Amino acid sequence: MELYGKVAELIKEKGNIVAFTGAGISVESGIPAFRGAQGLWEKYDPAEYADIRSFVREPAKVWSMLREMTRLIFDAKPSPAHLALGALEKVGLLNAVVTQNVDGLHQQGGNTNVIEYHGNSRYLVCLKCHGRVPFTEEALTALPYPTCHKCREPLKPDGVFFGEQIPPSAIERAHEAVQRCEIMMIIGTSGVVYPAAEIPFLAASRGAAVVEINVSPTPFTSSLSPYFLESSASLVLPGILDHLLKVKK
Ligand code: ZN
């Protein structure tokens, strides 16, 4: 509890938070981490189902996994952690969220400056004409897969697959946000996926204070020596917000 107060003071003093989030923040929204015990990668080999080459070769097969993944995303609601980040932006303390998630829950939680490092699977793209459309219920039930209205090619969720590039605009915006940030808040991510995991290191090298909220220690904990809050973000973030609103008065 004392650490909450310390972090709240730090936030009050410095402001300008950039949050760096991963799968952990969406677990309480009902989306199990892909890599975890209940994750989709236990059932589907990502080399076979999440690689762009597999998608191009066998879209119908990959879509059998995508339907299951998308159902989880469509049914998910923002967690208390997502909502707390939305509130931090509203009071002017949070500048940007850089997320590795593709579930669009930060926007639903009230954040407007969301930098999606791995794309957003609530949209569909055509690999041929690059058209991008919202991912609807109708598309989700289309068999064997939804197709582009223009070229009849199979549509692909706009999340980044293995073998695809990180969207250059996301890299650019993330680097820009990190240049200015005073506090880098790592939330629900173990930092094993590169190049995304460089972001906190970049912020730290620019002099940002690092706050980490994770259920267990990660490579960030030992290398960045952050303020480490070892707990679920859905408990910690609303707690910090409460402190902050009290401190503010
Ligand atoms: Zn097309």
Coordinates of all heavy atoms in Angstrom, one line a residue, residues 126-131 148-153 155, ligand 1:
C126 N -7.2 -6.4 -46.7 CA -7.0 -7.2 -47.9 C -5.5 -7.1 -48.3 O -5.0 -6.0 -48.4 CB -7.9 -6.7 -49.0 SG -7.5 -7.5 -50.6
L127 N -4.8 -8.3 -48.4 CA -3.4 -8.2 -48.7 C -3.1 -7.8 -50.1 O -2.0 -7.4 -50.4 CB -2.8 -9.6 -48.5 CG -2.9 -10.2 -47.0 CD1 -2.3 -11.6 -47.0 CD2 -2.2 -9.3 -46.1
K128 N -4.2 -7.8 -51.0 CA -3.9 -7.4 -52.4 C -4.1 -5.9 -52.6 O -3.3 -5.2 -53.1 CB -4.9 -8.2 -53.3 CG -4.5 -8.1 -54.7 CD -5.3 -9.1 -55.6 CE -5.0 -8.9 -57.1 NZ -6.1 -9.5 -57.9
C129 N -5.3 -5.4 -52.2 CA -5.6 -4.0 -52.5 C -5.4 -3.1 -51.2 O -5.5 -1.9 -51.3 CB -7.0 -3.8 -53.0 SG -8.3 -4.0 -51.8
H130 N -5.0 -3.7 -50.1 CA -4.8 -3.0 -48.8 C -6.0 -2.3 -48.3 O -5.8 -1.4 -47.4 CB -3.6 -2.1 -49.0 CG -2.3 -2.8 -49.5 ND1 -1.7 -3.7 -48.7 CD2 -1.7 -2.7 -50.7 CE1 -0.7 -4.2 -49.5 NE2 -0.7 -3.6 -50.6
G131 N -7.2 -2.6 -48.8 CA -8.4 -2.1 -48.2 C -8.5 -2.5 -46.7 O -8.1 -3.6 -46.4
C148 N -12.6 -9.9 -49.6 CA -12.6 -8.5 -50.0 C -13.7 -8.3 -51.0 O -13.8 -9.0 -52.0 CB -11.2 -8.1 -50.6 SG -11.1 -6.5 -51.2
H149 N -14.5 -7.2 -50.8 CA -15.6 -6.9 -51.8 C -15.0 -6.6 -53.2 O -15.7 -6.8 -54.2 CB -16.4 -5.8 -51.2 CG -17.3 -6.3 -50.1 ND1 -18.2 -7.3 -50.2 CD2 -17.4 -5.9 -48.8 CE1 -18.8 -7.5 -49.1 NE2 -18.3 -6.6 -48.2
K150 N -13.8 -6.0 -53.2 CA -13.3 -5.6 -54.5 C -12.6 -6.7 -55.2 O -12.9 -6.9 -56.4 CB -12.2 -4.5 -54.2 CG -12.8 -3.1 -54.6 CD -11.6 -2.1 -54.7 CE -11.5 -1.2 -53.5 NZ -10.3 -0.5 -53.4
C151 N -11.7 -7.4 -54.5 CA -10.9 -8.4 -55.3 C -11.2 -9.9 -54.9 O -10.5 -10.8 -55.4 CB -9.4 -8.1 -55.2 SG -8.9 -7.2 -53.8
R152 N -12.1 -10.1 -54.0 CA -12.5 -11.5 -53.6 C -11.4 -12.3 -52.9 O -11.5 -13.5 -52.8 CB -13.0 -12.3 -54.8 CG -14.2 -11.7 -55.5 CD -15.5 -11.9 -54.7 NE -16.5 -10.8 -54.9 CZ -17.4 -10.5 -54.0 NH1 -17.4 -11.1 -52.9 NH2 -18.2 -9.5 -54.3
E153 N -10.3 -11.6 -52.6 CA -9.2 -12.3 -51.9 C -9.6 -12.5 -50.4 O -10.5 -11.7 -49.9 CB -8.0 -11.4 -51.9 CG -7.3 -11.2 -53.2 CD -6.6 -12.5 -53.7 OE1 -5.9 -13.1 -52.9 OE2 -6.9 -12.9 -54.8
L155 N -9.8 -12.0 -46.6 CA -9.4 -10.9 -45.7 C -8.6 -11.5 -44.5 O -8.9 -12.6 -44.1 CB -10.6 -10.1 -45.2 CG -11.4 -9.3 -46.3 CD1 -12.7 -8.8 -45.7 CD2 -10.5 -8.1 -46.7
Ligands
ZN1 ZN -9.0 -6.3 -51.9

